[in-house]
Amino acid sequence: MVQIGTDLLSVAGVDEDTRQVVVEARDVRKSFGSFEVLKGISLDVRHGEVVLVIGPSGSGKTTFLRCINHLEKINGGTIRVNGKLIGYREKNGKLVADKEKEIARQRANIGFVFQRFNLFPHKTALENVMEAPIQVRGLKEDEARAIARSLLARVGLEHKIDSYPAQLSGGQQQRVAIARALAMRPTVMLFDEPTSALDPEMIGEVLAVMKELAHEGMTMVVVSHEMGFGREAADRVVMLDDGVIVEQGPPTELFANPQHERTRAFLSKIL
């Protein structure tokens, strides 16, 4: 049954108690000035689960993703990844801002794939993937190079390791960005509309990599309008509207029989 306005996990065919919670958001609130973007988001994402977050523009999808790895500081509630608070720590029964070093250490466990790739233009594909493992994880250059080569091969770019971003198509750049995120060995991957900046013929190659990751058991939270990906790879679809979760459930149920009028209106324009 599709659940409306609740943070309970609903994954078809899976006992929810058997999988560890990787991302735990509780009553998350975020404002920009007087404008409240997130109005109390509560959501659990369990190990190996793929959650597709949908909703109209301005509903808070990207803001919520950015709060998970503390690119945006929340104004209320809590977010835990792997059981640890993100961005804050408890002191004398209150939450206080954590040290930047600790935030960076926690963020290293959270892969983030942006809309616009964000590759270093002066570095090759190989160097882009090697950078963070060396600088953040402290890997030796030879080890980082071996990992980068393996990951670029995994996303079908072993023949482009010496190419610079300007020499790559948009789809290839996004696949490099995915390899770069994977190089940090994250426990969860966040995707912020990863195909929205791509030409139609390039979307499929990026979605193919994401589907493979999903089938391999990577924990993923994906903001996207790619409903085909949701049908094929997502365990759960979460509908955001005006800063709140209005409905969620397995894709087969939510797409076929949405219960909330806002979900029905949104899907009528997308599907």
Side-chain angles (χ1 to χ4, degrees), residues 48-61:
E49 188 181 13
V50 178
V51 175
L52 176 66
V53 182
I54 64 173
S57 177
S59 59
K61 306 182 302 295

Side-chain angles (χ1 to χ4, degrees), residues 15 28 46 68 76 92 104 122 150 166 211 228 240-241:
D15 180 355
V28 173
R46 294 181 179 266
I68 292 176
N92 298 325
H122 61 289
S150 174
K211 290 173 186 176
L240 257 65
D241 185 54

Side-chain angles (χ1 to χ4, degrees), residues 69 107-114 117-119 125-126 128-133 136-137 147-148 151-152 154-155 173-192 209 213 218-220:
N69 75 340
R107 192 178 282 150
N109 295 315
I110 307 169
F112 203 119
V113 179
F114 300 85
F117 325 136
N118 288 358
L119 300 177
L126 187 69
N128 264 281
V129 179
M130 291 173 57
E131 180 75 9
V136 180
R137 293 289 193 197
I147 291 172
L151 288 171
L152 286 170
R154 182 179 180 183
V155 299
Q173 290 186 61
Q174 193 61 295
R175 283 186 281 159
V176 172
I178 292 173
R180 178 182 60 182
L182 290 172
M184 293 296 287
R185 299 174 180 169
T187 55
V188 58
M189 288 279 287
L190 311 178
F191 293 84
D192 182 19
V209 172
L213 290 175
M218 173 63 72
T219 307
M220 300 164 61

Side-chain angles (χ1 to χ4, degrees), residues 218-240:
M218 173 63 72
T219 307
M220 300 164 61
V221 183
V222 182
V223 169
S224 178
H225 290 159
E226 297 293 340
M227 301 303 163
F229 171 83
R231 286 193 181 95
E232 294 180 38
D235 297 295
R236 182 163 41 129
V237 179
V238 174
M239 171 71 184
L240 257 65

